[in-house]
Amino acid sequence: MAGARALLRHCPLLVPQDRHGTAYEGFVTAQGKDFHIRILLPADFQLKNARQEKCSWRLKKILHGYQHILKQRLHSCPDLVSFMVELKTVLEIALKNTQDLHIPRPPEYYSCLVRDLETLGWNKVAYVDTGLTTVKLKAEDSCGRQHLITLKLNAKFPTEPPDCLVDFPIPFAVSWMPQNSLIDIYNQFLAALESLKEFWDALDEIDGKTWVLEPENPTRSATTRRIAIGSNASVNIEVDPRHPNMLPECYFLGADHAVNPLRAKLNNNMHLWDPEVSLLQNLRELLEIDFPSRAVLEKSDFAKDCGICYAYRLDGSVPDQVCDDPRCGQPFHQACLYEWLQGLPTSRQSFNVIFGECPYCNK
């Protein structure tokens, strides 16, 4: 109820289209203008699996260059209200930049921009648009990872700072004064890269030494990893970018007989967590396991297709529900299983959990 009130307060023109609260349609308002939008949520209400089904052509045109940042926000927002607030913020920026395109730039705008780029070095410039309003700068951190920062300059530059878009797991706030230049932003960008070094080191080790089921192609802003443990089990970890060496949030997925012992080991060994040791090594020692390695096993050894739709990926999601019977262990997509169980006359529902027979073994 509180979420509904918050959504009504922030987006009074966006209304639910079904009693489950999985489809919303209406308008998002920015700078006094209304834009049509429709958002579909999956049955588990996980925003990372949500999709924007349709919107007005004006909204598509305005947000054309902001799809990456919107996808990043969609994955990191805990609920629909948070995402709509983020969407309105991005839309405000996009509208301002769209309006700025039609404002003639004074001569000092171009002279300052060219001077800054020459001082910075053209070898650090990855892209400049023909209107000299968007600049992408590249940088390499101390571990050799490549990064980009996109600068959207408005007509009041250098009096006002450009909007900065980065692939970071935390907000990137620029400190700016009228006498500052792009060199100052670039130096702040480099400092932010170094502050995230331990976070990216930890996740790079996990990506390289384990089988990561989700996300399939993680961005630098992604803070979660779903790591395969066996054919019937995986663990989803949420790493704090500011404290990457601390115990992450862990959520086990799989059959009870496979994941319950792992939960017990994590709870019993939690006091053994050592911040001086790598995240992956700590997980190995606390769970008392060796994670499946890319060098030893094939993905097919533990990545099984859904027993209902017979596909591995469904709208970007992999099977995350498993039959608890040790003799069965068939995995399913949550959306597929939910729809299947809803159609069974013998299933029952308690709050947001539905119970019924396994489509494979009838347990």
Side-chain angles (χ1 to χ4, degrees):
M1 184 64 70
R5 286 198 297 267
L7 185 63
L8 183 64
R9 185 170 65 254
H10 289 287
C11 299
L13 301 179
L14 187 70
V15 294
Q17 300 296 299
D18 60 5
R19 62 187 181 87
H20 301 295
T22 58
Y24 288 83
E25 187 167 4
F27 298 88
V28 57
T29 305
Q31 293 191 6
K33 300 176 182 177
D34 297 332
F35 301 91
H36 178 252
I37 190 171
R38 178 177 169 84
I39 296 175
L40 296 181
L41 300 176
D44 58 4
F45 296 100
Q46 293 293 313
L47 279 187
K48 65 180 181 179
N49 298 325
R51 68 181 189 271
Q52 181 181 303
E53 189 181 55
K54 62 180 180 180
C55 60
S56 68
W57 67 268
R58 282 197 307 153
L59 185 59
K60 283 184 180 178
K61 185 176 180 181
I62 293 169
L63 296 177
H64 177 69
Y66 296 82
Q67 292 304 317
H68 173 73
I69 192 85
L70 277 176
K71 189 174 181 180
Q72 174 184 327
R73 292 291 184 266
L74 189 67
H75 281 224
S76 61
C77 287
D79 51 46
L80 181 60
V81 177
S82 302
F83 172 67
M84 292 307 298
V85 172
E86 293 276 8
L87 175 61
K88 291 178 72 172
T89 301
V90 174
L91 185 54
E92 293 278 355
I93 294 172
L95 284 169
K96 186 179 74 170
N97 289 336
T98 302
Q99 292 164 0
D100 286 341
L101 292 176
H102 306 291
I103 301 175
R105 264 60 171 170
E108 56 267 25
Y109 170 93
Y110 298 102
S111 60
C112 287
L113 177 58
V114 173
R115 181 200 64 209
D116 286 357
L117 293 179
E118 286 181 343
T119 304
L120 190 61
W122 290 100
N123 62 317
K124 294 183 176 66
V125 179
Y127 168 82
V128 181
D129 70 339
T130 54
L132 296 181
T133 58
T134 301
V135 178
K136 292 185 180 182
L137 303 175
K138 56 186 177 182
E140 187 177 283
D141 62 26
S142 57
C143 292
R145 290 179 285 251
Q146 299 295 321
H147 303 270
L148 282 176
I149 179 171
T150 300
L151 308 176
K152 302 275 187 179
L153 296 96
N154 61 45
K156 295 181 180 179
F157 174 82
T159 305
E160 292 184 1
D163 294 317
C164 303
L165 305 177
V166 293
D167 190 13
F168 282 2
I170 57 176
F172 177 61
V174 173
S175 176
W176 181 268
M177 298 183 70
Q179 65 267 28
N180 286 146
S181 66
L182 297 187
I183 294 91
D184 297 298
I185 291 182
Y186 191 76
N187 289 333
Q188 293 176 51
F189 179 55
L190 293 177
L193 292 180
E194 290 311 302
S195 71
L196 290 165
K197 175 184 178 300
E198 290 186 352
F199 169 73
W200 285 323
D201 285 347
L203 290 185
D204 281 353
E205 184 182 19
I206 287 174
D207 291 339
K209 296 182 179 180
T210 70
W211 265 114
V212 174
L213 301 177
E214 292 182 289
E216 190 173 18
N217 297 301
T219 62
R220 288 296 174 192
S221 60
T223 59
T224 62
R225 294 293 190 275
R226 183 180 168 197
I227 309 170
I229 296 175
S231 59
N232 287 336
S234 61
V235 60
N236 194 78
I237 63 169
E238 174 83 30
V239 183
D240 185 345
R242 293 181 174 88
H243 306 285
N245 292 327
M246 302 305 290
L247 177 64
E249 290 188 30
C250 297
Y251 176 67
F252 292 96
L253 297 152
D256 287 344
H257 72 273
V259 300
N260 283 345
L262 295 171
R263 290 195 188 100
K265 288 178 182 178
L266 180 64
N267 292 331
N268 294 336
N269 297 335
M270 202 174 292
H271 65 283
L272 299 176
W273 188 273
D274 183 359
E276 302 300 319
V277 177
S278 76
L279 174 63
L280 180 58
Q281 185 60 33
N282 269 309
L283 289 174
R284 284 173 178 151
E285 293 181 1
L286 264 65
L287 299 177
E288 299 174 8
I289 60 170
D290 285 324
F291 289 97
S293 169
R294 291 173 179 266
V296 178
L297 297 174
E298 295 293 330
K299 197 168 187 177
S300 58
D301 290 334
F302 45 78
K304 296 180 180 178
D305 293 343
C306 171
I308 295 174
C309 72
Y310 301 108
Y312 182 62
R313 290 198 176 273
L314 178 68
D315 294 332
S317 298
V318 301
D320 57 359
Q321 302 294 312
V322 179
C323 176
D324 288 333
D325 191 318
R327 293 170 296 180
C328 178
Q330 176 64 44
F332 307 95
H333 293 117
Q334 181 166 325
C336 294
L337 190 59
Y338 186 80
E339 186 175 347
W340 173 279
L341 293 177
Q342 275 191 317
L344 291 181
T346 55
S347 66
R348 59 185 178 84
Q349 187 162 350
S350 175
F351 297 99
N352 64 335
V353 180
I354 190 166
F355 302 87
E357 297 173 354
C358 171
Y360 254 61
C361 67
N362 296 327
K363 294 291 185 181

